[in-house]
């Protein structure tokens, strides 16, 4: 049963990302050893070899700077996604925060289930109930109000297992990979099934990825002149779902160029990796395999969230690079360095 | 009558743009006098004063680099748009190029009118006929094929009045403005009613604006794995019209941040300028007024294309900066410098 709610939510919120230039980080990465939180393993060597090759002007695989586009999924790839997509926790917390303005929610599903912390009842609402939850918590307000809500939530909410703010649960080795690529003149983008306006308020500070380099799912918005105080209103209607085949479409729509480097962790990223793999330049496909039940989570083919099944087969078949989280990474989160 | 076809087309193809970093140009602009093709007039002074103010760390109006977002309309603002949007010439030329594959077009409107160079008959087809024209010439192929078609057309087609390639008819003073803003760490975007994939094949070379900093109108696309040779197919269906209220929506969707500098030339840009004007940072609104019948064209309130009527009133009322093309610009096109 739980699978239904997570899968349905997955349709609404899934992820892919691409990098930009944070000058200090670039200088650091150029003068220090790259990827310090990675063990000296095959995945790290493959990344270093690829970047050394395509940035070498003497190499037949040299790629001009303008074509160095890298795209990164977000959920389960740059930050954790268990025990549920963090955006689902946001939606649940939003319902609780808005409940006083909506006395009718006490007797109305799916809100009643959320307010009573009754997950089985919430699951019974199915996809329709979830969409209602999202629209009620993500729509009907202005883009400025929504941004403020996301910032407030991040400043106060804590992850149930780690008791840290959700955006503290980003992967230190992936932050180093973003820095390393930028130091080698890659332009890095997020390409995520997650909500584009849910990621932008913190993508610059946390990842060094500017707001205009975040691609994600979106709802319909409209401009309102509002008597000289213009606002953009978020309507309760889906606009674009940036998952599976939607990822290459989102890449084409937002970025234009085909990436040469793509990084994901689930079957929802497979089409992005296939699209990148079809680049006439030498390209790099990277899958993060969650194998670390102790420090993070271990899941793949049977997971209700971030399922990696077809993608794992195709990666093995095509020789794409797979990160074994447990063996390849010295630390998981930035606070592990402390 | 002619107004109908141009206005209908205008709905499909209108424009807004924002800048990026072209290193050599930046250095040049920093060491040489900015805006050399501008006379020493009020519009030039207003631009220089604004940029000097908001880049001065001691000023109360200082704007951090990350918030220096500038957006530019394209048609009639960065390149000419007369006697019709250049993308309409492209569509007409495409019909002629594709005619041999479509013998039925000889007897079928709106194609018959195009093939017979019969503008009155084409006009009689109204908006429906125009949409059919666009979908037949812009849809039904892959994104790679469309890009190749645009490049081929630009390499061969000539503007009827100037007998030059269409992308030679960009405004030299605006190229200098883009360089000047970039030299002052602005990130510049195109935000145009024109087709996003019609602009991207040449925006980098001509304007120094990367493909991912071009926002425009788009049609629906879909990913096709195509037996291991993935393509993105352009479907004959509109996705997004980036004009009027669509411009702030497009800015929010693609860029995220609200611009501090916006530049346009028609009523279709008014909402973009209003949106920028609502920025809490000191902002700059720029209208290009086409006043030069001799070197370019003179048109405003009654024009069938690029109409500037409400925008002109609001600009005067709010004290926005207006470029008087005839008086303010020493030259119009880059070839005027030769």
């Amino acid at each position: 049963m739980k699978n239904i709610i997570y899968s349905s939510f997955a349709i609404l919120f899934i992820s892919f990302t691409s990098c930009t230039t944070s000058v200090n980080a670039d200088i650091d990465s150029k003068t220090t050893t790259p990827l310090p939180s990675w063990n000296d393993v095959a995945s790290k060597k493959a990344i270093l070899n690829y970047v050394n090759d395509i940035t070498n002007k003497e190499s037949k695989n040299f790629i001009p700077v303008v074509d160095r586009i890298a795209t990164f999924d977000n959920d389960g790839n740059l930050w954790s996604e268990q025990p549920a997509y963090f955006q689902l926790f946001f939606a649940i917390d939003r319902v609780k925060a808005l409940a006083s303005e909506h006395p009718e929610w006490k007797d109305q599903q799916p809100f009643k289930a959320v307010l009573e912390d009754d997950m089985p009842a919430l699951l019974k609402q199915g996809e329709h109930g979830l969409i209602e939850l999202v629209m009620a918590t993500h729509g009907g307000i202005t883009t400025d109000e929504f941004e403020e809500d996301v910032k407030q939530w991040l400043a106060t909410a804590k992850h149930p297992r780690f008791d840290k703010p959700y955006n503290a649960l980003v992967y230190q080795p992936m932050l180093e990979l973003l820095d390393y690529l930028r130091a080698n003149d890659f332009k890095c983008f997020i390409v995520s099934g997650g909500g584009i306006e849910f990621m932008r308020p913190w993508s610059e500070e946390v990842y060094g990825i500017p707001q205009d380099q975040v691609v994600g799912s979106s709802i319909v918005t409209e401009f309102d002149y509002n008597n000289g105080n213009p606002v953009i209103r978020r309507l309760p209607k889906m606009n674009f779902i940036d998952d599976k085949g939607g990822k290459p479409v989102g890449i084409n729509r937002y970025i234009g160029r085909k990436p040469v480097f793509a990084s994901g962790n689930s079957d929802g990223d497979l089409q992005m990796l296939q699209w990148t793999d079809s680049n006439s330049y030498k390209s790099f496909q990277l899958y993060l395999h969650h194998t670390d039940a102790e420090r993070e989570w271990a899941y793949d083919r049977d997971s209700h969230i971030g399922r990696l099944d077809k993608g794992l087969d195709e990666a093995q078949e095509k020789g794409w690079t797979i990160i074994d989280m447990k063996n390849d990474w010295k630390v998981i989160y930035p606070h592990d360095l402390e």
Side-chain angles (χ1 to χ4, degrees), chain A:
Chain A
M1 269 299 254
K2 222 167 185 176
N3 293 10
I4 298 167
I5 194 165
Y6 288 125
S7 313
S8 305
F9 224 77
I11 294 165
L12 296 170
F13 303 127
I14 331 273
S15 317
F16 139 39
T17 321
S18 159
C19 14
T20 187
T21 310
S22 133
V23 177
N24 292 335
D26 287 4
I27 291 164
D28 288 353
S29 301
K30 270 185 173 154
T31 53
T32 60
T33 312
L35 311 182
S37 297
W38 296 59
N39 288 314
D40 192 22
V41 289
S43 60
K44 177 175 174 174
K45 285 176 194 165
I47 293 167
L48 299 180
N49 285 341
Y50 173 75
V51 173
N52 286 336
D53 187 13
I54 66 96
T55 57
N56 174 7
K57 282 193 176 159
E58 308 301 315
S59 167
K60 68 178 183 353
N61 297 317
F62 177 77
I63 300 177
V65 166
V66 77
D67 287 306
R68 294 184 199 164
I69 300 292
T71 56
F72 288 82
D73 172 50
N74 185 42
D75 294 310
N77 194 54
L78 292 181
W79 74 353
S80 291
E81 61 185 351
Q82 298 285 3
Y85 292 119
F86 293 178
Q87 197 170 350
L88 177 56
F89 287 117
F90 170 72
I92 287 172
D93 289 347
R94 287 280 302 154
V95 167
K96 292 177 179 174
L98 294 170
S100 64
E101 297 166 34
H102 295 274
E104 75 281 8
W105 282 358
K106 272 189 295 192
D107 306 303
Q108 188 185 319
Q109 294 295 12
F111 310 102
K112 185 170 184 284
V114 170
L115 294 174
E116 293 172 357
D117 289 318
D118 184 351
M119 197 54 98
L122 180 57
L123 298 172
K124 277 187 195 153
Q125 308 307 312
E127 193 176 329
H128 178 78
L130 278 171
I131 289 176
E132 209 174 331
L133 195 65
V134 173
M135 293 312 160
T137 55
H138 288 59
I141 54 178
T142 70
T143 52
D144 284 346
E145 288 164 346
F146 185 75
E147 182 181 346
E148 197 48 45
D149 288 341
V150 173
K151 285 179 175 170
Q152 274 297 319
W153 179 75
L154 282 174
T156 52
K158 296 281 175 68
H159 185 276
R161 173 174 165 190
F162 291 101
D163 196 36
K164 299 262 182 197
Y166 287 91
N167 59 1
L169 301 179
V170 297
Y171 304 131
Q172 174 63 26
M174 295 305 265
L175 297 181
E176 294 168 5
L177 177 56
L178 287 169
D179 280 344
Y180 174 61
L181 291 176
R182 288 188 281 245
N184 284 281
D185 297 321
F186 281 77
K187 197 167 185 178
C188 298
F189 293 77
I190 293 181
V191 179
S192 171
I196 192 166
E197 297 202 74
F198 178 72
M199 296 181 283
R200 281 178 168 161
W202 51 276
S203 65
E204 287 179 351
E205 187 186 334
V206 174
Y207 300 134
I209 294 177
Q211 294 191 12
D212 61 288
Q213 289 168 217
V214 177
V215 180
S217 297
S218 57
I219 63 178
V220 174
T221 57
E222 70 177 10
F223 177 73
D224 178 358
Y225 184 59
N226 195 29
N227 293 317
N229 297 298
V231 293
I232 293 177
R233 297 197 188 281
R234 294 169 57 84
L235 307 186
K237 190 180 168 193
M238 281 307 292
N239 173 58
F240 175 60
I241 296 178
D242 190 40
D243 189 36
K244 301 192 192 297
K247 292 209 173 195
V249 166
I251 290 171
N252 181 65
R253 188 173 293 168
Y254 281 79
I255 305 173
R257 281 201 161 71
K258 190 183 284 188
V260 294
F261 188 106
S263 159
N265 73 298
S266 79
D267 285 355
D269 302 311
L270 180 55
Q271 287 82 354
M272 173 170 78
L273 271 62
Q274 290 169 338
W275 183 235
T276 303
D277 198 26
S278 72
N279 202 311
S280 56
Y281 288 116
K282 184 178 178 180
S283 62
F284 195 91
Q285 289 64 237
L286 185 62
Y287 255 131
L288 171 57
H289 190 189
H290 291 264
T291 53
D292 196 331
E294 198 178 321
R295 296 185 301 173
E296 206 242 7
W297 283 271
Y299 57 99
D300 48 34
R301 295 184 191 276
D302 299 319
S303 177
H304 55 75
I305 200 169
R307 174 171 305 177
L308 180 61
D309 181 33
K310 286 183 187 173
L312 200 53
D313 291 338
E314 193 157 330
Q316 286 162 348
E317 193 185 301
K318 294 187 172 170
W320 293 346
T321 299
I322 299 170
I323 300 166
D324 175 343
M325 183 185 267
K326 185 175 177 180
N327 288 312
D328 292 5
W329 286 357
K330 291 180 188 167
V331 297
I332 306 293
Y333 302 122
H335 58 82
D336 295 334
L337 292 172
E338 288 159 13

